[in-house]
Amino acid sequence: MTAAALRRRACAIAALSVGMLVVAGEQAAAQVPAPMPARPARFEVGGGGIFVGGYDLGTSTAELTPNGGTSNSFTLFTTDNEVRPVFGLQARIGVLLSSALVVEAGLRFARPVYEVRASGDTEGAPATTIEDTMSQYVFDGSVVWTPGNPYRRLSPFVFGGAGYLRELHEEDALVDDGFEYHAGAGVRWWFGEGARGLGLRAEGGFSIRDGGFDFEDGMRLVPIASGTLVYRF
Amino acid sequence: MRRRLQIVAGAALALAVCAVPVGAYLKLGTRVGTRTESLRWRQFPIRYFVTDASVPGVTSQQFQGAVTRAFTTWQAVENTETSSTFVGFVQARPFVEDGANVIGYLSQPGQDRTLAATTFTVDETDGRILESDIYFNTIFPWSTSEAGGADRYDVESIALHEIGHLLGLSHSALGESELTGGGRRVIAAESVMFPIAFTRGNISDRELRADDIAGISDIYGTTTFSREFGSISGRVTKSGSGVQGAHVVAFNPRSGALVGGFTLNENGDFVIAGLEPGPHVLRAEPLDDGDTNSFFDDDFDVDVDFRVAFYEKVVAVPRGGGARNVEIKVLPK
């Protein structure tokens, strides 16, 4: 073996050793938990914005009974109906049952617009888009579970829960209510160590609504997403 | 004080309505001093007789069966309180003020566009109906066939319309018609109380529509009806002034129900009651699908000089309450 070859081998062994040390070091780091706070947090509160997806309510036909038989319908006009997507607000308060499990109650508020486009008028009324703004409240309860190490600064979580849906039309003239079920996933990012103090929470998922403002019986699914500022203490 | 009124439903052209409209659909009414009282029965059951006479194709028993079915259809409206009893066949003819409610045939060749008509004797102090007769004009061919008689008018359909008058309803404008050589022909309608009958052989008007149900419920509704249904009130205006005699239609896009009403004064005020709770689209149109005297007294000026228009917002009708202060702005033609 030449001197040059010996140097290359020595370098290779050194590189391998460094590599093993790095791996060993990473393994050692993984085995050491993130620093636990001196006193575990008990509560989590938060508030922020929420996005609630819209949904289509289909087409409705203002129909008259035709003379001379029932085979052909007579349409006075039609309406295309939808509830537009909306941004709203939410507030949540949670109790930590353990470092990984939070039970929380929340209130979500939004003002979605119910939009109707009336068109095809038999007497030539110009097509018109008309609206009604609703006040939508969801009072809910959720369970939030953080898998893995809950003390990491960036920790993913999954959530699920159910709530009461209440929708008030303009001037609170009409109330539609129902139930809401939701599930999804998200992440928390803590500004400090130990998964306490201030943090940010972002999540997305879906909301299944049974009742509320709709034209058909049955459930409908709308996407939801939110970003909140949280404080755990 | 008693007064005799006549309501007429036509085959192709409707004639006079000698009463004061007092709201949507319309309801019939009578003026008492400065206020208007709806015509309505105060005592039930309504006891009626049928003239013991036949016409080609329809025996008196078949005629009475069709009339009774029509009464039953009105009585079946939920959350209303009306009832009737067929007392028996009589020789008496309708349109005679004799204290008995008589339904039967009359030959009225001079009224060649009138299929049938209803008259009332009312107490003008409170709008109470004391007597009402209905005649079917024998100059037209009639049928009580279950499937409708070819080239004949359906007794049950026309009876349903006339009994609507007998109960206090006037005409609805919820329909479209076209002018023909001798009058008007209905193209489509969504109310049994539309003044122009469907063509011969058609039995569509054996069933009440949302507009009819709203009307009868407004007159004879129970407390449950008042608690469960709502209303819309407001004005139709043109260049800031009220439009009198405009036809306003409330459409519920959730159920598809159509209920009509009218603006009944120079201020353009209207009320549409008996509406299901929920969102409604409002549309105002000129009263041009029938002669205006099918709906109003001759001295009632109807403004038809405006374009059809939708109200700019969806109106949410509350359960047991009213959506108020709606203003539908229309443009001149």
Side-chain angles (χ1 to χ4, degrees), chain A residues 2-226:
Chain A
T2 64
L6 277 171
R7 274 200 301 276
R8 280 199 296 274
R9 187 177 178 201
C11 287
I13 290 170
L16 183 61
S17 300
V18 170
M20 288 175 69
L21 279 172
V22 169
V23 172
E26 282 190 349
Q27 284 175 341
Q31 285 164 2
V32 176
M36 282 185 62
R39 181 174 59 83
R42 297 285 307 279
F43 301 101
E44 180 180 312
V45 295
I50 185 167
F51 167 82
V52 183
Y55 52 99
D56 185 18
L57 291 167
T59 299
S60 306
T61 306
E63 210 164 61
L64 308 183
T65 302
N67 191 7
T70 55
S71 55
N72 300 314
S73 61
F74 182 93
T75 300
L76 194 60
F77 61 89
T78 60
T79 64
D80 295 304
N81 316 288
E82 68 166 324
V83 175
R84 285 193 211 142
V86 65
F87 288 95
L89 299 170
Q90 70 167 355
R92 317 195 71 78
I93 180 165
V95 176
L96 278 74
L97 300 183
S98 72
S99 56
L101 197 64
V102 183
V103 175
E104 62 183 23
L107 167 63
R108 285 178 263 158
F109 172 74
R111 297 263 295 156
V113 172
Y114 162 48
E115 181 182 286
V116 174
R117 180 162 177 79
S119 61
D121 190 277
T122 189
E123 294 188 73
T128 308
T129 299
I130 53 182
E131 297 176 348
D132 174 31
T133 304
M134 298 180 283
S135 296
Q136 181 185 83
Y137 300 87
V138 178
F139 305 89
D140 68 34
S142 305
V143 175
V144 183
W145 179 60
T146 305
N149 182 353
Y151 297 107
R152 283 172 293 179
R153 291 187 72 173
L154 183 67
S155 54
F157 64 85
V158 294
F159 66 91
Y164 168 67
L165 170 69
R166 187 174 176 82
E167 291 172 322
L168 305 173
H169 292 255
E170 204 147 282
E171 298 176 0
D172 299 345
L174 179 67
V175 178
D176 285 306
D177 61 359
F179 293 100
E180 189 264 3
Y181 311 93
H182 55 271
V187 291
R188 290 191 190 89
W189 188 82
W190 300 104
F191 293 131
E193 299 291 340
R196 62 181 300 147
L198 273 178
L200 292 174
R201 171 172 161 170
E203 62 200 65
F206 54 87
S207 169
I208 298 171
R209 294 167 181 220
D210 184 7
F213 182 65
D214 204 347
F215 285 3
E216 293 177 355
D217 292 334
M219 299 189 184
R220 65 180 180 278
L221 188 145
V222 296
I224 52 173
S226 67

Side-chain angles (χ1 to χ4, degrees), chain B residues 235-303:
Chain B
R235 298 176 67 206
V236 176
T237 61
K238 182 175 65 176
S239 307
S241 301
V243 176
Q244 181 167 282
H247 185 225
V248 183
V249 176
F251 172 60
N252 183 336
R254 179 148 44 186
S255 67
L258 283 163
V259 179
F262 297 88
T263 58
L264 296 175
N265 55 33
E266 291 178 349
N267 196 41
D269 295 322
F270 71 89
V271 179
I272 306 176
L275 299 173
E276 303 165 308
H280 282 77
V281 175
L282 290 181
R283 174 183 182 269
E285 65 175 352
L287 189 55
D288 55 6
D289 280 298
D291 296 313
T292 56
N293 61 6
S294 298
F295 304 93
F296 301 108
D297 286 342
D298 289 337
D299 59 357
F300 186 89
D301 290 327
V302 175
D303 185 349

